[in-house]
Amino acid sequence: MNIDSTGTGTQGSVQVRRFHEGDSVEEVTLLLHRAYADHAAAGRIFFASYQSPQDTRHRLSKGECWIATRDDALVGTLTVSAPHAAPAGYPAPEGAGSFWQLAVDPSQRGSGLGHRLLTLAEARMAALGSTHAVIDTSAAAEDLVAWYRRRGYVPIGTWRWDVTNYDSVVLAKALP
């Protein structure tokens, strides 16, 4: 699956494709740091805001990583897993798929790229056999929680990861 979305303005189109050997884990890590810097500045320390390239490689190995490029620059990423093996006690429907490291370069905010990546994640989870998507984020990131809710996600519980400094709200959505 390769998605080509023509952007507006003078920049070229956004190409979305699977991450492959030869792509830079370091570039993905730096993109994650840029994308999550505002959350860190607000006191919400998402793992993606400080993870090492080794952490990124490990997280990429747990699912399908997709990257978005515009004019050969990395501008977005996400990793999809379905069904996702959630930790014991994590409030998720049986067999749900999940995604993480959904990131859009700050220069691309408002372009619709985040929504396109989310749509891709949902399509991949459904194609891999999941009937639900589950995601968690900082309960204090009200704008991000509202973004997911506008896209059909509903809160189903809470969770606390040991690599963050906040309580997470767990959100789920039935997939078509």
Side-chain angles (χ1 to χ4, degrees):
M1 177 180 285
N2 186 21
I3 300 171
D4 181 9
S5 300
T6 302
T8 57
T10 60
Q11 294 182 328
S13 64
V14 173
Q15 303 288 320
V16 179
R17 64 168 175 80
R18 289 281 300 267
F19 181 91
H20 54 71
E21 206 57 43
D23 287 331
S24 174
V25 170
E26 291 77 14
E27 281 187 49
V28 172
T29 303
L30 292 172
L31 169 64
L32 293 166
H33 292 177
R34 288 191 309 273
Y36 286 87
D38 290 350
H39 292 289
R44 298 180 297 270
I45 310 300
F46 284 67
F47 186 54
S49 71
Y50 70 88
Q51 70 190 40
S52 70
Q54 293 78 18
D55 294 324
T56 301
R57 183 174 301 286
H58 176 73
R59 295 180 83 192
L60 297 180
S61 75
K62 299 297 181 187
E64 295 180 357
C65 178
W66 292 80
I67 60 171
T69 59
R70 172 173 270 156
D71 299 328
D72 296 322
L74 182 64
V75 295
T77 189
L78 79 121
T79 302
V80 178
S81 176
H84 179 64
Y90 186 88
E94 184 70 28
S98 190
F99 59 95
W100 52 90
Q101 299 189 144
L102 172 58
V104 172
D105 189 271
S107 70
Q108 301 301 306
R109 288 186 184 148
S111 71
L113 179 57
H115 186 245
R116 290 194 300 269
L117 290 171
L118 178 61
T119 300
L120 170 63
E122 293 169 355
R124 291 301 304 141
M125 287 182 278
L128 294 168
S130 290
T131 59
H132 288 84
V134 67
I135 184 66
D136 62 76
T137 192
S138 170
E142 294 173 0
D143 56 337
L144 191 52
V145 173
W147 187 81
Y148 282 116
R149 291 191 73 157
R150 286 190 305 272
R151 285 150 184 85
Y153 286 77
V154 295
I156 60 168
T158 59
W159 189 254
R160 179 75 184 224
W161 295 103
D162 62 358
V163 293
T164 64
N165 69 341
Y166 54 78
D167 291 327
S168 294
V169 60
V170 180
L171 302 125
K173 177 181 180 179
L175 297 173

